[in-house]
Amino acid sequence: MKPHFTCTPDFLELPDQHLGYRLYRNRYKEQGRRLLLLHGAGVAGEDTWEPVVAHLHSWSEVLVPDLRGMGQTREPRDAELPFTIEQVCDDLIQLLDQLAWWAFDLGGYSFGGLVSLVLKQRLPHRVHKQYLVESALIDRSDPQDALQRRRLYSDVAAQLRTSEDPAASIMAFLNLVSPRRIASPRGDAISLERLGRRPEGFANALDAVTEFGQRADREELLASQGDISSLVGGRTAEPMHLYNQQLQHQLERWHYHSVRGCDHSLPYQKPRQLAALFEQELERYQSDH
């Protein structure tokens, strides 16, 4: 059987970015729901989401852009410039407008999870069902504890900018974000290759999260969200699970799931299971509406 999605890579030329994206079309569902998927810091959209997209069936189109500093998206002079979360959202809104995506579902992994929260806040009526996968800024309930942890990521970003060999800095990041992961030479080599392609862009993404976290009202941001399915790896550090449990208790539309046997690298480790959860949660969402 042919793959049910065909993929069209393309670019949107913006004044300060050549924005790369991939548009997947479901050959068996020409009309229906659309899904925007946002990747994490330092990695490309294709690497993160294509294995998941292969197991999705409920969407007619899936849009996977490369965010600033990552993948195929580049500044016109090929410079690696600092950016804010709001600038990333500005890029996405221009892309969505260009493609006439006036209503869509939204998923974000890690860095892309934070971007997706801000995008929902800015486009409340266009974003419908939401998915967070190991989202940034949702890892600690205590804001001060969360900010202190972000400073550790800032240290990693500084090291990425000054080191001739980013491998040690990337390993420090992996140990921060997945302290309970089951490390293996093969798995670490794959992560080093993915995250080492554009180390300064990776650093800029880490700093963008820290900068946003220092000035944003997290409670206001979370209060502006719709129906969220938050998926957390079972081996992820306990504070993230506890905070998601707290949010599920406090927010009627927050649905927390722990995915057994994986860590922060959930999209890479369990793409089929992640896709199944997306489908399951969409079915629940539709039955509620």
Side-chain angles (χ1 to χ4, degrees):
M1 177 182 287
K2 293 181 180 178
H4 59 290
F5 278 102
T6 59
C7 178
T8 304
D10 208 342
F11 284 87
L12 176 64
E13 301 298 332
L14 301 174
D16 64 342
Q17 293 290 307
H18 298 314
L19 180 63
Y21 66 92
R22 301 172 72 82
L23 183 58
Y24 297 84
R25 292 186 174 92
N26 189 338
R27 67 175 71 244
Y28 302 114
K29 189 183 288 287
E30 294 184 359
Q31 293 184 336
R33 305 187 74 91
R34 290 166 159 173
L35 176 63
L36 170 63
L37 294 174
L38 307 179
H39 61 76
V43 293
E46 178 183 5
D47 291 340
T48 305
W49 289 115
E50 191 158 279
V52 178
V53 172
H55 300 291
L56 296 174
H57 299 280
S58 294
W59 290 270
S60 62
E61 292 183 318
V62 181
L63 176 61
V64 180
D66 286 332
L67 307 180
R68 286 193 180 214
M70 292 159 277
Q72 298 299 311
T73 293
R74 293 189 176 271
E75 194 268 346
R77 297 164 299 174
D78 210 21
E80 296 285 15
L81 303 177
F83 52 82
T84 65
I85 297 296
E86 286 83 358
Q87 285 177 303
V88 176
C89 287
D90 289 341
D91 296 341
L92 292 170
I93 291 170
Q94 291 183 78
L95 175 60
L96 291 163
D97 289 351
Q98 177 70 24
L99 297 174
W101 275 41
W102 310 120
F104 54 93
D105 300 327
L106 175 59
Y109 166 57
S110 193
F111 172 83
L114 173 56
V115 174
S116 74
L117 291 171
V118 178
L119 193 63
K120 168 63 175 180
Q121 189 177 46
R122 292 180 61 178
L123 303 176
H125 302 298
R126 292 171 69 174
V127 176
H128 293 193
K129 179 73 193 89
Q130 297 169 256
Y131 302 91
L132 297 178
V133 181
E134 289 275 330
S135 178
L137 224 67
I138 315 295
D139 58 343
R140 295 287 192 280
S141 60
D142 185 314
Q144 293 306 313
D145 186 20
L147 283 176
Q148 180 60 38
R149 188 166 179 81
R150 289 310 316 173
R151 294 189 184 101
L152 299 176
Y153 288 105
S154 294
D155 292 342
V156 170
Q159 294 166 18
L160 283 166
R161 291 192 176 92
T162 57
S163 175
E164 293 184 3
D165 181 4
S169 304
I170 293 171
M171 290 304 301
F173 168 79
L174 293 175
N175 291 331
L176 267 176
V177 78
S178 296
R180 297 170 56 202
R181 79 188 196 281
I182 301 175
S184 70
R186 180 177 180 275
D188 286 348
I190 292 172
S191 296
L192 287 168
E193 193 279 327
R194 286 182 185 136
L195 293 168
R197 292 173 193 167
R198 294 178 64 181
E200 193 165 351
F202 180 24
N204 288 336
L206 293 177
D207 281 344
V209 176
T210 301
E211 188 272 337
F212 182 87
Q214 289 171 340
R215 59 180 167 81
D217 185 328
R218 186 170 66 171
E219 288 189 10
E220 180 181 319
L221 178 65
L222 293 178
S224 68
Q225 304 304 305
D227 187 289
I228 283 182
S229 302
S230 182
L231 314 177
V232 181
R235 299 190 64 83
T236 292
E238 193 64 17
M240 189 169 196
H241 291 278
L242 293 174
Y243 188 35
N244 270 269
Q245 291 167 11
Q246 177 184 325
L247 290 171
Q248 182 169 246
H249 178 72
Q250 293 174 343
L251 303 174
E252 182 181 356
R253 294 181 292 180
W254 193 280
H255 306 273
Y256 154 69
H257 297 266
S258 175
V259 184
R260 186 177 178 181
C262 53
D263 52 45
H264 186 72
S265 298
L266 200 164
Y268 308 106
Q269 295 169 335
K270 302 276 187 175
R272 184 188 296 270
Q273 187 173 347
L274 190 58
L277 282 167
F278 274 38
E279 298 280 357
Q280 172 187 313
E281 284 295 281
L282 178 63
E283 183 177 350
R284 176 197 54 75
Y285 171 78
Q286 290 176 314
S287 66
D288 291 345
H289 291 73

